[in-house]
Each structure stands twice: as C-alpha cells, then as structure tokens.
C-alpha cells in the first residue's frame, strides 16, 4: 500500500514537473517569437527610423558632393535612374507588380506594370507615382513609366505624369532625416539652393554597404543577394554615381569591385526573373537600363 502511494505520488510529481517545464518552454517560445521581429528589424535597419533611406534617397546621396551639396552638372542619367528606383521601391513594398507573362511568355519589357495595392506608403513621391500607375488605363510598361515620370515624352497629353523637382524633394527628405542641411550658394548669375552633408556617419555606412556587397560580402549569386542592395548597385550604376562609392578603394579593390559589378551587369534579366524569390519588376527595370 505504501509502495502504491509512493508510485502515485511520484507520478503526480513527474506530471507536475513536466507541466511546469512545458509552461516554461512555451513562455520562452513566446518571448522568442516576440523578440524575433524586433531582432530582424534591428538587423535590417541598424539605425533609428529617422535615418532609414529609400532607394531614391540612397542613390541621390551617393551622387551628391559632400561639401558642395549638389550633383554633378554633367550627370544626365540620375533623373531616369531615380524614377527606376521609385518603381523598384514600390515593387519591394508590395505596391506594384508586372502583369502575368501569359502562355506566350512575354518579355519583361513588353509586360505592363499593374497596381497590386494602393495603400499609401507614407512617402509623397512614392504615393504620387503609385497614384499615376493605379489610375492609368490601359497600363504602361516599365520603360514607358520611366520616361513618363521623367517627363521624357513627346505626347503633350502625358506631360502631367512627370514628377517635378524630384532631386530637391528627395534632398528635403534627407534634410528632415538629419543627413543633409540647406544652404544658398551664389553662382555669379543666380543663387542656388544646395544641400551639403551634415551626417557623415550615414553616408559612410551607405558607401561601406555598397563596397562590401561586391568585396567582403560578395556571394556570386544574384538570388542570394539582398534585393534592396542588388537594386542599389544596378540603379547607382545606371545613375552614374556608383563610381563615387568606389573612389576611396585601393586600386586592387577597385578593379575587383568593378569586375564583379560587370558580372552583375552581364546577367540576363529574363533568366534571372524566372528564378525562385526573384522580383520580376526589379529585373524589368534592370532590363530597361541595360538593354
């Protein structure tokens, strides 16, 4: 009788202990789930909300002269490059996508851009571009949207699609985020608003990210690249500002970086867009600039 009582007592004790352990594991699991999104967010952003930059802002920041606060007067590529950034940014945020390729497998540049979600992004430039895409029927291709948003069209009925003062508006965003400041400079015949760099840490972090992506963190597989970093490399090159990120490198590092950039530029967008987890609109923009 005593032995039976002891066995029963032991069973109850083991069950109680098991219940406690299960509850503790569940609590730890819950804590891990709560912490995981925060950890991912910290790893992805690495800084406060005020210094999270869009693709357009990153490309512009690479193109701006630190002290002078303006882009090169000879750079006539950055305008269309910034429009390409907008399309990719909207695609990465789940707002835009390409239409289905169909049975005949339309090429990336022949497929239309359609609105996947009209939810505001909180960025005025992005929301303005998104509104144009959403309200346009029939839809336009990626190449057409880059031209329309840049104002490079001979059709007077489509001039209203042009996004005006894009560089100035992006610079103001960077001023609000504490990256740039605003000054006035006199150029003999006129005064011009400039935006010199004030937060060198953010600029250096951006430059380092670009450099490392083709040096220390090179993965030799576009599918394993972070999509935002991959888009930044392509669009910085198309905007003629990528050289600015590589300027501080040693000769050997520079040669290696440019060799790897060339490998990316030689990729076939059509093939890359069919791979798992690829963003088709991203590759369509790449195709528009590298065709």
């Amino acid at each position: 009788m005593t032995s039976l009582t002891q066995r029963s007592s032991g069973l109850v004790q083991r069950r109680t202990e098991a219940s406690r352990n299960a509850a503790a594991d569940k609590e730890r699991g819950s804590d891990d789930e709560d912490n995981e999104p925060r950890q991912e967010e910290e790893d992805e952003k690495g800084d406060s909300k005020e210094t999270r930059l869009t693709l357009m802002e990153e490309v512009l920041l690479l193109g701006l002269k630190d002290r002078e606060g303006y882009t090169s007067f000879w750079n006539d590529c950055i305008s269309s490059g910034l429009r390409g950034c907008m399309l990719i940014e909207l695609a990465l945020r789940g707002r835009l996508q390409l239409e289905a390729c169909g049975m005949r497998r339309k090429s990336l540049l022949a497929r239309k851009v359609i609105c996947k979600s009209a939810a505001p992004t909180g960025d005025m430039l992005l929301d303005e571009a998104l509104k144009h895409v959403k309200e346009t029927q029939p839809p336009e291709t990626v190449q057409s949207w880059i031209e329309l948003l840049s104002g490079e069209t001979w059709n007077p009925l489509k001039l209203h699609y042009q996004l005006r003062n894009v560089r100035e508006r992006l610079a103001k965003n960077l001023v609000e985020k504490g990256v740039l400041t605003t000054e006035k400079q006199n150029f003999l015949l006129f005064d011009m608003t400039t935006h010199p760099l004030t937060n060198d840490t953010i600029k250096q972090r951006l430059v380092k990210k670009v450099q490392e992506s083709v040096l220390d963190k090179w993965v030799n597989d576009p599918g394993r690249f972070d999509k935002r970093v991959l888009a930044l490399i392509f669009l910085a090159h198309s905007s003629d500002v990528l050289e600015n990120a590589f300027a501080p490198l040693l000769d050997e590092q520079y040669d290696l970086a440019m060799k790897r950039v060339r490998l990316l530029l030689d990729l076939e967008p059509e093939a890359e867009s069919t791979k798992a987890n690829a963003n088709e609109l991203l590759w369509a923009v790449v195709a528009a600039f590298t065709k």
Side-chain angles (χ1 to χ4, degrees):
M1 185 70 176
T2 303
S3 177
L4 179 61
T5 302
Q6 288 175 343
R7 285 200 301 271
S8 300
S9 176
L11 179 61
V12 171
Q13 186 174 358
R14 286 196 298 274
R15 284 178 175 171
T16 303
E17 187 66 26
S19 299
R20 288 174 180 169
N21 291 338
D25 290 341
K26 184 176 181 181
E27 185 176 353
R28 283 195 297 270
S30 176
D31 290 342
D32 291 341
E33 290 176 0
D34 290 341
N35 290 332
E36 186 175 354
R38 287 197 294 269
Q39 185 64 41
E40 286 180 359
E41 185 176 346
E42 290 173 2
D43 292 343
E44 180 181 355
K45 302 302 180 181
D47 204 352
S48 62
K49 288 184 178 180
E50 287 73 20
T51 52
R52 294 175 189 170
L53 309 182
T54 64
L55 279 173
M56 306 93 70
E57 291 166 351
E58 288 181 329
V59 168
L60 180 67
L61 190 55
L62 287 176
L64 282 174
K65 299 178 180 180
D66 294 354
R67 294 183 179 180
E68 294 84 347
Y70 52 83
T71 57
S72 170
F73 292 126
W74 310 111
N75 188 337
D76 57 355
C77 303
I78 195 169
S79 178
S80 58
L82 291 174
R83 273 65 174 185
C85 287
M86 292 177 195
L87 296 177
I88 293 179
E89 185 77 44
L90 287 168
L92 294 179
R93 295 191 186 199
R95 301 311 197 275
L96 298 181
Q97 65 182 19
L98 290 184
E99 65 176 350
C101 58
M103 295 294 291
R104 294 187 179 182
R105 298 292 305 176
K106 287 184 181 179
S107 69
L108 291 172
L109 295 181
R111 293 161 65 183
K112 311 293 186 182
V113 179
I114 59 177
C115 180
K116 183 179 179 182
S117 169
T121 65
D123 184 288
M124 291 184 66
L125 276 170
L126 290 178
D127 289 342
E128 192 175 335
L130 180 61
K131 182 173 181 289
H132 284 320
V133 175
K134 178 183 176 235
E135 296 178 352
T136 299
Q137 293 298 331
E140 300 279 357
T141 63
V142 162
Q143 182 70 59
S144 294
W145 274 120
I146 292 174
E147 294 171 358
L148 291 172
L149 296 175
S150 302
E152 297 175 358
T153 175
W154 293 101
N155 189 340
L157 299 179
K158 293 187 176 182
L159 287 175
H160 66 282
Y161 287 121
Q162 181 182 5
L163 299 181
R164 301 181 181 279
N165 304 316
V166 167
R167 271 177 270 191
E168 181 64 22
R169 292 162 71 180
L170 288 173
K172 286 182 179 178
N173 287 349
L174 290 170
V175 170
E176 292 177 3
K177 294 180 179 182
V179 183
L180 307 177
T181 188
T182 303
E183 294 181 357
K184 288 279 188 182
Q185 284 196 30
N186 181 268
F187 288 87
L188 297 179
L189 300 178
F190 61 95
D191 289 334
M192 186 175 82
T193 301
T194 60
H195 300 282
L197 183 70
T198 57
N199 193 327
D200 187 61
T201 301
I202 295 176
K203 176 73 175 277
Q204 290 306 313
R205 183 183 301 146
L206 172 61
V207 169
K208 183 179 179 182
K209 178 172 69 172
V210 175
Q211 293 175 351
E212 287 185 340
S213 67
V214 292
L215 292 174
D216 298 340
K217 296 183 178 180
W218 174 250
V219 293
N220 200 29
D221 178 6
R224 294 169 55 201
F225 256 91
D226 177 89
K227 291 184 179 65
R228 189 170 287 276
V229 174
L230 184 64
L232 177 59
I233 294 172
F234 277 115
L235 272 299
H237 178 271
S238 300
S239 301
D240 199 19
V241 300
L242 188 59
E243 286 274 349
N244 297 347
F246 294 158
L249 295 174
L250 299 174
D251 289 345
E252 291 182 1
Q253 292 177 313
Y254 176 85
D255 291 340
L256 179 59
M258 291 305 300
K259 178 182 178 182
R260 288 174 172 172
V261 168
R262 178 51 56 187
L263 289 176
L264 292 177
L265 295 174
D266 289 340
L267 291 171
E268 177 50 57
E270 295 288 347
E272 297 300 326
S273 68
T274 62
K275 295 182 179 179
N277 300 320
N279 187 296
E280 291 183 319
L281 199 146
L282 186 158
W283 286 106
V285 172
V286 171
F289 283 110
T290 59
K291 66 181 180 121

